[in-house]
Structures are given as C-alpha cells and as structure tokens.
Amino acid sequence: QVQLVESGGGLAQAGGSLRLSCAASGSIISINNMAWHRQVPGKKRELVALITPGGGTNYADSVKGRFTISRDNAKNTVYLQMNSLKPEDTAVYSCAAGVRTATGTDGYWGQGTQVTVSS
C-alpha cells in the first residue's frame, strides 16, 4: 500500500509565500512523475505543476514564475514553493504520483491541503 501525505497548507496574505510538501510512503520500488493539482469548489481540478524523475518541470500558465516544484528522490517527497501568492490561488492542493510497486504501476493521490490567500 502506498500513501501520499501533504503538509504545509494554511493561510497567507497576498504577496506572501507558502511551501507545500508531499511525502510518499509504503512498498515503493520507484516513483515516476509527481505533480500538484488544485481545485476550487464548483470548478474543475487544475494541474498546477509536474516534475519528472529527472527533474524536468511543467507549470500551468497561471503560476509560471511564481511557483517552483521540486523533488527529493531519496525521501520520496515532492515540494511546491509558492511565492507572490494571489487570492485566486486559494484552493485545495493535492499531490499525485505514479508509483511502481511489486504489483505494478498505479497513480496515487494525497488527501489534499487547503491554501487560503487573503487580499
């Protein structure tokens, strides 16, 4: 069994910063892409940022230049550094990862962490 556990969400003022972490644990052989998504109630879930095992990254246009995704492969952890936060960044942020175990490769999701940005 694999679990993804996020931490680091909370309340920030516009222009401020927050750092999210997501640690994977369990019977992991390797982890493929890791990503952060966000969702606002009543809206579609949005891919915020993705990072490959080799460190290649991809960002939503709305966060380019403000957010940075990184990973520590030794710790099976992905991070999202969020700077210059805007009220429209308010959402539930969830991490996701493609994880290889002894039974195959599947996608896993964390439980989500709330980020609220006040103006």
Side-chain angles (χ1 to χ4, degrees):
Q1 181 127 11
V2 173
Q3 286 188 321
L4 301 183
V5 178
E6 297 110 337
S7 60
L11 179 63
Q13 290 190 331
S17 298
L18 284 173
R19 189 188 193 216
L20 305 183
S21 300
C22 172
S25 62
S27 303
I28 297 169
I29 295 176
S30 61
I31 301 179
N32 297 329
N33 293 346
M34 305 183 83
W36 288 96
H37 293 75
R38 66 186 180 187
Q39 189 166 25
V40 175
K43 292 192 175 179
K44 220 175 153 183
R45 185 165 57 201
E46 173 189 24
L47 173 63
V48 176
L50 178 147
I51 186 166
T52 68
T57 57
N58 197 17
Y59 296 92
D61 288 342
S62 58
V63 307
K64 277 180 185 174
R66 300 188 298 120
F67 290 11
T68 302
I69 189 170
S70 61
R71 64 191 285 171
D72 185 332
N73 292 330
K75 295 182 179 179
N76 291 333
T77 300
V78 62
Y79 306 95
L80 186 67
Q81 178 66 45
M82 304 185 293
N83 299 329
S84 302
L85 283 163
K86 304 176 180 180
E88 52 263 43
D89 293 320
T90 296
V92 174
Y93 285 71
S94 301
C95 66
V99 180
R100 183 182 172 200
T101 65
T103 58
T105 299
D106 288 297
Y108 294 87
W109 289 84
Q111 80 285 356
T113 185
Q114 177 70 45
V115 170
T116 302
V117 183
S118 63
S119 56

